[in-house]
Amino acid sequence: MKELGKYLLLMGKLFVNREKFSIYAKLIIDEAIVIGTDSLLIVAIVSSFIGAVTAVQTAHNLYSPIIPLETIGSIVRDMTLLELAPTFTGVVLAGKIGSNIAGHLGSMRITEQIDALEVMGINSASYLILPKIVASLIVFPMLVTLSAFLGIFGGYVAGVLTHALTPEQYIAGIRDNFHGFDIFFALIKAFVFAFLISSISAFQGYYTRGGALEIGKASTVAVTHSCIAVLIADYLLAQLILAS
Amino acid sequence: MIEFSHLNKTFGDKQVLTDVSGVFERGKTNLIIGTSGTGKSVLLKCLVGIFEPDSGKVLYDGRKFNGESNDKQQEIRRDIGMLFQGGALFDSKSVESNVMFPLNVLAPKMSKSEKLDRVDYCLRRVGLEKSKKLMPSEISGGMAKRVGIARAIVMQSKYLYCDEPNSGLDPQTSHRIDELIKDITHEYNITTVVVTHDMNSVLEIGENIMYMFEGENVWQGHKDNILQTTVKPLQDFLFANKLIRDMHKFS
Ligand SMILES: Nc1ncnc2c1ncn2[C@@H]1O[C@H](COP(=O)(O)OP(=O)(O)OP(=O)(O)O)[C@@H](O)[C@H]1O
Ligand SMILES: [Mg+2]
């Protein structure tokens, strides 16, 4: 509970006494490039395989003459858009970006770099954390979009290669009964996860105390807490938006 | 001038500063000496507001500092240059960008070439003009210290704090840094506070020395009077140095 209060106070501190916007613009672009290039490969690999596995398993489970084979395409699409792309990307990024943010801020804290910023009269919290959060908000939706695309594409490749269905059937399946809202929903998730992962990890890193050992601990805690937050938010969003 | 009175600071149940009062004068090199772990770095951090003292008062030329609003503190901090004990260089920036950094955020009106000139000048003063493109991970500890000094003086701040500027430096470079600190203090008439273990510095530039013992200010005065001290811990501290023992014998 005390942690939560400290976290909320830190979030409040991000928006007071900021530096000029021009200074932030450059920092945000730098961070966005780092986050994007760092995670592109792993997100691509994970998404393609998840799509492929979903297609193969669905094909295996649905093997019944009364269900049309196109259904495999529809199921891969829905699973990927609604759940797999945003959530898997979220969990993967919690590991990759979360530990990165916590480690970076943690080492800046224990080597007195954060103190140095403060003495220069700079609000270190907003200077260091805000760009990371904004960059995440920009990049995560892109990564989730990519992930959804590759997931569906992975399903296509796997489905066709295993002769579970023909390319035409798969395409027909993913076009059948498609709701544009699902994409919107995936992007909302991306935004929420982006904020949770970057802010929670930044919080852990920013308040690191001690030495190199504690940086490692802060990174681990950042990843665990971010993952849990992503999964809880995933559930709540599903309840809130899909059930209503 | 920096005045502070009755500063107390505890971490958990450990009392680190006990009722510390003192004055650091303008246009003088003020030194803080004392054994390792006695609270010198903590005192500096209380004076610049990285730690909030439990009680006591800090004034910068009469301007109240601690307990004031963020805005007020920030305003005073923009007049402070500080060298941290570990250098505290930004490890994602080159030597040159590190020194440039305060100018970029605090002096937006300066032109790019003015900034570059100023950075070059400061790096030359610490003897690092050839290393400006290197990253902090590529330089030695002593070099990192000197980059930290260049960064601390780049703004020509009114108040300059240096936490052990010459630890880890060879005697020659160390002497050069002492001269640099003395020169800019007198040239720009600023208030300089230097934490040091180096007896050479003490005897060379100690215009106003404060001796800390177990978190207390137990002696304050000029270098010319320090050898006559009757404070026992300070005598022990001084006489651990052979140079000073010899000087004492002959005087
Ligand atoms: N952030 C902190 N949390 C808890 N205790 C601290 C903290 N910083 C310093 N201390 C304690 O305060 C005491 C004084 O530390 P300080 O760093 O001021 O010593 P120092 O006089 O600068 O020593 P040195 O000459 O070795 O640098 C030490 O006992 C240290 O354990
Ligand atoms: Mg110290």
Side-chain angles (χ1 to χ4, degrees), chain A residues 221-238:
Chain A
V221 175
V223 174
T224 334
H225 286 194
S226 304
C227 277
I228 296 172
V230 163
L231 295 174
I232 293 176
D234 190 33
Y235 174 77
L236 290 180
L237 282 174

Side-chain angles (χ1 to χ4, degrees), chain B residues 11 14 16 34-42 51 85 164 197:
Chain B
F11 289 107
K14 187 170 166 205
V16 176
T35 42
S36 179
T38 200
K40 305 181 295 295
S41 298
V42 171
F51 293 146
Q85 192 166 349
E164 305 198 8
H197 287 294

Side-chain angles (χ1 to χ4, degrees), chain A residues 5-240:
Chain A
K6 212 166 143 193
Y7 169 78
L8 292 177
L9 280 180
L10 179 66
M11 291 301 114
K13 215 177 137 196
L14 296 184
F15 299 99
V16 292
N17 293 323
R18 280 185 295 104
E19 304 306 311
K20 284 203 315 294
F21 178 75
S22 58
I23 292 181
Y24 281 90
K26 192 176 169 314
L27 290 173
I28 290 170
I29 292 170
D30 289 349
E31 292 286 350
I33 291 172
V34 172
I35 294 177
T37 47
D38 261 13
S39 3
L40 204 57
L41 187 65
I42 180 83
V43 167
I45 293 174
V46 169
S47 315
S48 315
F49 274 93
I50 288 173
V53 171
T54 312
V56 171
Q57 291 198 342
T58 314
H60 176 74
N61 290 336
L62 276 194
Y63 206 75
S64 144
I66 40 171
I67 301 175
L69 287 173
E70 286 86 26
T71 315
I72 297 174
S74 310
I75 288 181
V76 171
R77 178 200 68 206
D78 285 348
M79 293 272 285
T80 308
L81 270 184
L82 285 178
E83 178 64 17
L84 296 178
T87 311
F88 260 89
T89 307
V91 170
V92 167
L93 292 182
K96 186 102 189 156
I97 307 303
S99 62
N100 193 321
I101 290 179
H104 182 216
L105 291 176
S107 83
M108 287 194 79
R109 166 66 75 188
I110 65 156
T111 55
E112 299 178 322
Q113 294 176 48
I114 291 183
D115 294 340
L117 285 172
E118 288 287 329
V119 172
M120 290 173 197
I122 295 166
N123 177 348
S124 64
S126 75
Y127 183 82
L128 295 172
I129 299 176
L130 203 56
K132 291 187 196 296
I133 293 182
V134 176
S136 301
L137 289 174
I138 294 171
V139 175
F140 274 38
M142 295 184 192
L143 289 170
V144 168
T145 309
L146 176 81
S147 163
F149 173 77
L150 287 178
I152 294 172
F153 182 70
Y156 171 87
V157 172
V160 172
L161 282 185
T162 56
H163 302 293
L165 75 177
T166 65
E168 293 75 25
Q169 285 171 323
Y170 191 85
I171 303 285
I174 57 177
R175 297 179 65 163
D176 178 47
N177 200 12
F178 171 70
H179 307 288
F181 178 78
D182 291 355
I183 292 183
F184 179 66
F185 184 55
L187 292 180
I188 290 183
K189 281 190 178 181
F191 273 116
V192 173
F193 296 167
F195 180 78
L196 288 174
I197 292 170
S198 53
S199 64
I200 290 174
S201 308
F203 170 70
Q204 291 298 337
Y206 189 77
Y207 287 115
T208 306
R209 290 264 170 267
L213 194 64
E214 279 75 12
I215 300 178
K217 278 189 200 146
S219 295
T220 319
V221 175
V223 174
T224 334
H225 286 194
S226 304
C227 277
I228 296 172
V230 163
L231 295 174
I232 293 176
D234 190 33
Y235 174 77
L236 290 180
L237 282 174
Q239 275 276 351
L240 218 79

Side-chain angles (χ1 to χ4, degrees), chain B residues 186-224:
Chain B
H186 295 160
E187 228 170 283
Y188 303 116
N189 195 26
I190 61 174
T191 310
T192 305
V193 181
V194 182
V195 173
T196 186
H197 287 294
D198 188 338
M199 274 307 146
N200 290 320
S201 312
V202 172
L203 299 175
E204 195 115 27
I205 61 169
E207 295 174 299
N208 175 27
I209 305 169
M210 167 175 160
Y211 173 69
M212 279 183 77
F213 182 69
E214 293 180 353
E216 291 181 62
N217 174 4
V218 294
W219 187 89
Q220 191 160 6
H222 193 268
K223 63 179 171 16
D224 295 343

